[in-house]
Amino acid sequence: MAEILVTSVINKSIEIAGNLLIQEGTRLYWLKEDINWIQGEMRHIRSYVDNAKAKEAGGDSRVKNLLKDIQQLAGDVEDLLDEFLPKIQQSNKFKDTICCLKTVSFADEFAMEIKKIKRRVIDIDRIRTTYNIIDTNNNNDDCVLSDRRRLFLHADETEVIGLDDDFKMLQAKLLDQDLHYGVVSIVGMPGLGKTTLAKKLYRHIRDQFECSGLVYVSQQPREENLEDNLRSLLKIKRYVILLDDIWDDLKLVLPECDSKVGSRIIITSRNSNVDRYIGGEFSLHALQPLESEKSFELFTKKIFNFDDNNNWANASPDLVNIGRSIVGRCGGIPLAIVVTTGMLRGRERTEHAWNRVLESMGHKVQDGCAKVLALSYNDLPIVSRPCFLYFGLYPEDHEIRAFDLTNMWIAKKLIVVNSGNRQEAEDLAEDVLNDLVSRNLIQLAKRTYNGRISSCRIHDMLHSLCVDLAKESNFFHTAHNAFGDPGNVARLRRITFYSDNVMDGFFRSNPKLEKLRVLFCFTKNPSIFSHLAHFDFKLLHTLVVVVPRYLKENVTIPSKFGNMTCLRYLRLEGDIFGKLPNSIVKLTRLETIDIDRHGFIQLPSGVWKSKQLRHLCYTDYERASNSYFSISPFYPNMYSLLPNNLQTLMWIPDKFFEPRLLHRLINLRKLGIRGVSDSTVKILSTFSPVPKALEVLKVMFSSDPSEQINLSSYSNIVKLHLCVDKTMALNSEAFPPNLVKLTLVYFM
């Protein structure tokens, strides 16, 4: 996973290079050559790492050790850049003599560190050549896996359990003379049984065609002249063909199915986009994990080797219950169930033996499925790999908002565009998320009014893959695997806690976490804030604290929050009662502040000083008084302080809403106003020119206004949310003309 750290270094070097452009004529400007060297060298290293990974997977310990050295080098370079960037930004603000002297000092210090880095790069190359660490990728492992899949494709038909409805539906579709494009595409995450189902379909209908064939395609097809051979044969025959494990589109390979009426193509793939391109939307059939009873039926068949004479009749109820628990851990994934039964058949059929398997399942089932799952991960573009691993920071089966993911990816510089344009970065982040869903690595939970992803989940097995890969690469650690060598703990960059007991013990035993960048805490114990009071997280850029909604305990949020000078993303969710310290005004790099509506958290006025602030979600409108929206200390000068980069403002009290707010916030896309009065209705109805960027407007009335709101001039608003009295008259002609979604919430 060294490529993830290397990519992070490349992205940060791009940001630093941009900051150095305004330093022309100073000592700092001459460091631009060093920054460019880092960027160029890391690009070459990333290419080498990506090429060498197959050798590591094949068990070459020399390559594994070399990649570990590269990973450590990249981590140290990232630390150096994280320390250096704030100093550059500070020197951009002040040009006095003292500042200039400090600039020369840390510029010389940085140059010395770069020299050390260059020597380490040379030493890594010396090790590679001295010990004959061959870096060419001969794809032997891929070939072995491909050969195994080809053997399975042509092996005797296997039992299909739990897919009867899928089979009947697809068989009817294949025999339908009006089947569009003549294509059926079976898609889904690894291990669901796509190939098994496709084989059964193929063998049941192949006798009805002139010719038939099974082809395992894979990521790197090895059949010579595959396209020409297929085209020449299929143009003259009525055929049925099964193309297994498509990773890229083969539309140009296949002739139009109307070349001879009735030809059929069965495709299996993990990527919905590939299948959609080949056969259209109608061709898609998405497999889902098995239901619990079907899972247990498959488990039973495999345990007893499909022998109907052997069953659970002689088993104790406790053993049956353990078996059901084991099946539950498999998450409805046939591959996991098969791997697990393979382990169990080699053991005594006793409660003790099966309990030991149950206790160790998190690892052993993952080991059995690892190669299948890892194929999908390794096929991801390099930029998408750390984005995928971020899902492991959340607990299993957690519904994750797309808003959170994309903004964290951008804050961490996992998503970077050369232009530096924020909108382009957000579009790219959304593309990455859509691609992960299309590859069936991520499960869609909800969509927005316009079809975009609103929230998503990750399957438990793939969640385990994220955790294992992250631990291996030191990308992040969970509470359970973070304990160990103090030196390694001190180098932790990201950590997530799902357990209160482990969290408390970890913080008490590890006083130094100087390299921590990301901290996730899913806890029932608000003591997390007292733990944070003992640390100076100077490199922390993402902090997420989630507590249950029933705690209702007062907490003291430590003033040391103000020392988190790199903090870009802050989310506090649940019943958290307290006040963000005034020291938070120092956090000038904050991009997102997201305070859940169930908590009472007072914001200091200085939060507006963050010129990078883009999203302020402060939705305590149900219970909090206006005083909790702490803008009043600097009213009426707030409008000169509001950062014009702000894109989301939820919710602002009516008393602070004025026309100059909209004049100032030219990039505002989402706006929520609560306690709306007649004066605000008038402002919204007559404001000109209307904000061009505003797409979402949420208005909560405190009473029935005397004037009717008129939003007909807001042509860009596509989503409108109104909380109104039941007696309030609404005129559809007064709605935005391009409205896509209207939500009405009535209060008594």
Side-chain angles (χ1 to χ4, degrees):
M1 308 304 154
E3 75 276 6
I4 294 175
L5 269 176
V6 172
T7 300
S8 177
V9 170
I10 292 172
N11 292 339
K12 288 181 179 180
S13 64
I14 292 172
E15 182 181 11
I16 290 179
N19 278 272
L20 288 175
L21 289 177
I22 60 176
Q23 293 282 354
E24 189 168 0
T26 70
R27 175 71 180 90
L28 282 181
Y29 182 76
W30 299 109
L31 293 180
K32 192 170 184 297
E33 181 178 337
D34 287 331
I35 296 296
N36 289 340
W37 176 85
I38 289 176
Q39 188 180 145
E41 196 71 18
M42 288 296 162
R43 290 187 191 278
H44 290 301
I45 289 176
R46 185 171 66 182
S47 298
Y48 172 83
V49 167
D50 207 36
N51 191 42
K53 281 175 61 181
K55 294 286 291 183
E56 180 192 25
D60 192 323
S61 60
R62 297 173 303 168
V63 174
K64 186 174 184 178
N65 289 332
L66 187 68
L67 291 179
K68 198 169 184 178
D69 290 342
I70 291 174
Q71 181 174 301
Q72 188 168 342
L73 170 70
D76 291 341
V77 175
E78 184 184 38
D79 291 344
L80 179 62
L81 295 183
D82 279 338
E83 181 182 355
F84 183 57
L85 180 57
K87 294 179 180 179
I88 295 178
Q89 293 172 331
Q90 189 70 15
S91 66
N92 288 342
K93 297 178 182 178
F94 305 104
K95 301 295 182 182
D96 55 47
T97 304
I98 295 177
C99 183
C100 289
L101 291 174
K102 289 183 178 179
T103 297
V104 171
S105 175
F106 80 73
D108 289 341
E109 180 183 348
F110 180 80
M112 291 295 295
E113 292 298 323
I114 292 297
K115 288 182 179 178
K116 295 179 183 177
I117 296 296
K118 290 181 177 180
R119 288 197 293 268
R120 288 175 65 181
V121 170
I122 293 172
D123 193 50
I124 286 175
D125 188 57
R126 177 193 63 79
I127 292 172
R128 185 182 66 85
T129 55
T130 300
Y131 298 102
N132 193 30
I133 303 175
I134 302 172
D135 50 77
T136 53
N137 181 3
N138 57 15
N139 288 319
N140 283 338
D141 292 321
D142 289 342
C143 293
V144 170
L145 185 59
S146 296
D147 289 339
R148 288 175 180 171
R149 286 203 58 136
R150 285 190 181 87
L151 289 172
F152 174 70
L153 199 61
H154 293 278
D156 292 337
E157 187 168 344
T158 56
E159 186 78 7
V160 177
I161 294 177
L163 302 177
D164 296 339
D165 292 339
D166 298 272
F167 174 79
K168 292 174 183 177
M169 186 184 304
L170 289 170
Q171 184 180 34
K173 185 181 284 190
L174 283 166
L175 298 177
D176 183 354
Q177 293 184 358
D178 297 324
L179 177 62
H180 195 50
Y181 293 119
V183 176
V184 163
S185 303
I186 305 173
V187 299
M189 63 178 289
L192 285 178
K194 298 184 295 294
T195 301
T196 301
L197 177 60
K199 283 171 56 182
K200 183 173 181 178
L201 284 166
Y202 168 80
R203 287 175 172 162
H204 271 69
I205 68 170
R206 63 181 174 182
D207 291 339
Q208 302 179 40
F209 296 84
E210 294 179 66
C211 64
S212 59
L214 299 90
V215 180
Y216 172 61
V217 181
S218 80
Q219 292 170 270
Q220 297 175 329
R222 290 190 291 161
E223 288 87 350
E224 296 180 3
N225 303 318
L226 173 65
E227 297 186 11
D228 293 339
N229 291 338
L230 274 177
R231 270 192 171 276
S232 61
L233 171 66
L234 301 182
K235 277 184 177 180
I236 59 174
K237 296 285 187 180
R238 181 175 180 271
Y239 61 86
V240 59
I241 186 170
L242 167 56
L243 300 175
D244 182 46
D245 202 25
I246 297 278
W247 291 75
D248 205 347
D249 72 80
L250 285 175
K251 195 168 185 178
L252 297 178
V253 177
L254 303 170
E256 295 296 330
C257 283
D258 62 2
S259 61
K260 195 158 189 179
V261 177
S263 291
R264 294 291 182 261
I265 301 168
I266 305 171
I267 293 172
T268 70
S269 179
R270 306 173 190 190
N271 192 333
S272 299
N273 283 342
V274 170
D275 296 50
R276 187 177 288 113
Y277 177 73
I278 297 174
E281 190 74 33
F282 182 74
S283 74
L284 296 181
H285 182 87
L287 279 190
Q288 302 298 329
L290 298 178
E291 296 177 353
S292 58
E293 285 306 313
K294 293 295 184 182
S295 295
F296 193 67
E297 181 184 346
L298 175 60
F299 178 80
T300 300
K301 291 282 188 181
K302 289 292 183 180
I303 281 290
F304 297 113
N305 289 315
F306 296 94
D307 186 351
D308 292 332
N309 294 323
N310 287 314
N311 50 45
W312 296 103
N314 299 321
S316 69
D318 287 340
L319 186 66
V320 175
N321 289 333
I322 296 171
R324 289 191 177 276
S325 297
I326 289 173
V327 172
R329 293 279 182 92
C330 295
I333 306 299
L335 176 63
I337 296 171
V338 171
V339 169
T340 304
T341 55
M343 290 192 293
L344 290 173
R345 282 201 302 268
R347 289 167 168 78
E348 289 183 288
R349 202 170 294 169
T350 64
E351 296 165 24
H352 175 73
W354 280 26
N355 259 323
R356 293 191 63 181
V357 171
L358 179 62
E359 292 169 1
S360 65
M361 274 192 69
H363 299 289
K364 294 197 174 181
V365 173
Q366 173 61 34
D367 291 342
C369 302
K371 283 214 169 186
V372 178
L373 297 173
L375 272 177
S376 291
Y377 175 79
N378 291 330
D379 183 60
L380 287 172
I382 289 178
V383 68
S384 299
R385 293 174 190 173
C387 297
F388 172 69
L389 293 184
Y390 250 73
F391 284 87
L393 288 166
Y394 292 88
E396 290 183 354
D397 202 38
H398 191 84
E399 185 172 338
I400 309 168
R401 299 186 306 174
F403 173 88
D404 296 336
L405 287 167
T406 55
N407 282 291
M408 279 189 288
W409 293 344
I410 293 172
K412 179 57 182 77
K413 302 299 178 185
L414 300 180
I415 302 291
V416 173
V417 292
N418 292 332
S419 66
N421 183 283
R422 174 74 182 202
Q423 181 60 54
E424 290 184 20
E426 290 178 357
D427 290 344
L428 179 57
E430 187 175 1
D431 289 343
V432 169
L433 183 57
N434 281 321
D435 185 54
L436 291 173
V437 171
S438 294
R439 292 169 181 266
N440 295 291
L441 291 171
I442 301 303
Q443 299 170 337
L444 176 67
K446 295 176 184 174
R447 289 195 181 273
T448 63
Y449 62 93
N450 56 358
R452 297 163 71 179
I453 297 173
S454 174
S455 61
C456 50
R457 286 188 174 91
I458 184 170
H459 189 275
D460 290 353
M461 287 183 65
L462 287 165
H463 182 276
S464 296
L465 177 69
C466 286
V467 171
D468 289 346
L469 291 175
K471 178 184 177 182
E472 175 189 334
S473 63
N474 201 35
F475 183 73
F476 75 78
H477 288 263
T478 65
H480 294 286
N481 63 34
F483 289 96
D485 179 69
N488 290 332
V489 171
R491 296 178 64 86
L492 282 176
R493 282 174 154 70
R494 302 166 193 86
I495 189 168
T496 182
F497 294 98
Y498 314 140
S499 166
D500 291 331
N501 293 334
V502 177
M503 180 187 73
D504 292 340
F506 177 84
F507 279 119
R508 281 195 294 265
S509 62
N510 294 283
K512 291 186 178 180
L513 295 169
E514 298 173 350
K515 298 184 183 299
L516 200 65
R517 267 79 167 179
V518 175
L519 175 59
F520 276 58
C521 297
F522 298 86
T523 174
K524 297 179 182 178
N525 186 356
S527 66
I528 174 61
F529 294 103
S530 62
H531 288 310
L532 296 179
H534 297 92
F535 294 90
D536 287 327
F537 294 120
K538 294 184 179 180
L539 296 178
L540 194 74
H541 58 69
T542 300
L543 175 61
V544 176
V545 178
V546 179
V547 302
R549 294 178 180 174
Y550 53 80
L551 286 180
K552 297 182 175 61
E553 292 188 26
N554 287 309
V555 300
T556 300
I557 299 178
S559 59
K560 283 193 174 183
F561 265 41
N563 296 336
M564 301 178 190
T565 54
C566 291
L567 194 66
R568 297 175 184 262
Y569 183 95
L570 173 64
R571 175 165 173 77
L572 304 177
E573 179 181 335
D575 281 333
I576 302 173
F577 292 67
K579 176 184 177 181
L580 285 178
N582 291 329
S583 59
I584 204 172
V585 301
K586 302 176 184 178
L587 309 183
T588 57
R589 302 172 75 181
L590 264 176
E591 297 179 2
T592 299
I593 301 177
D594 192 354
I595 309 296
D596 181 69
R597 67 187 177 91
H598 294 276
F600 289 114
I601 298 182
Q602 188 173 346
L603 297 178
S605 59
V607 74
W608 298 103
K609 293 183 181 180
S610 175
K611 299 303 180 184
Q612 300 300 317
L613 191 63
R614 288 176 169 83
H615 304 285
L616 176 58
C617 301
Y618 184 72
T619 54
D620 68 340
Y621 56 91
E622 289 185 351
R623 295 177 295 182
S625 64
N626 283 349
S627 63
Y628 278 90
F629 196 91
S630 302
I631 309 174
S632 53
F634 59 89
Y635 182 79
N637 297 321
M638 60 170 286
Y639 300 104
S640 62
L641 294 175
L642 288 174
N644 59 16
N645 287 320
L646 203 66
Q647 298 174 7
T648 304
L649 179 56
M650 296 283 178
W651 294 65
I652 181 171
D654 174 82
K655 63 183 289 188
F656 299 123
F657 186 78
E658 293 187 13
R660 49 183 169 168
L661 176 76
L662 296 180
H663 283 302
R664 172 69 176 167
L665 301 180
I666 58 175
N667 293 307
L668 196 64
R669 296 188 203 168
K670 300 179 182 179
L671 172 64
I673 313 170
R674 72 172 198 266
V676 170
S677 62
D678 286 343
S679 62
T680 296
V681 169
K682 187 174 182 179
I683 292 172
L684 289 172
S685 300
T686 61
F687 186 82
S688 180
V690 297
K692 294 182 178 180
L694 192 62
E695 299 175 350
V696 177
L697 177 63
K698 298 186 177 185
V699 178
M700 179 182 292
F701 293 92
S702 57
S703 61
D704 192 358
S706 58
E707 294 191 29
Q708 188 178 60
I709 191 168
N710 185 350
L711 303 173
S712 59
S713 60
Y714 290 76
S715 59
N716 290 326
I717 289 182
V718 292
K719 182 179 179 181
L720 178 63
H721 178 110
L722 300 176
C723 184
V724 300
D725 187 276
K726 285 187 177 182
T727 61
M728 180 176 172
L730 295 173
N731 182 0
S732 61
E733 294 181 358
F735 291 154
N738 297 314
L739 196 63
V740 174
K741 181 178 181 180
L742 172 65
T743 302
L744 296 178
V745 179
Y746 295 105
F747 64 84
M748 299 301 293

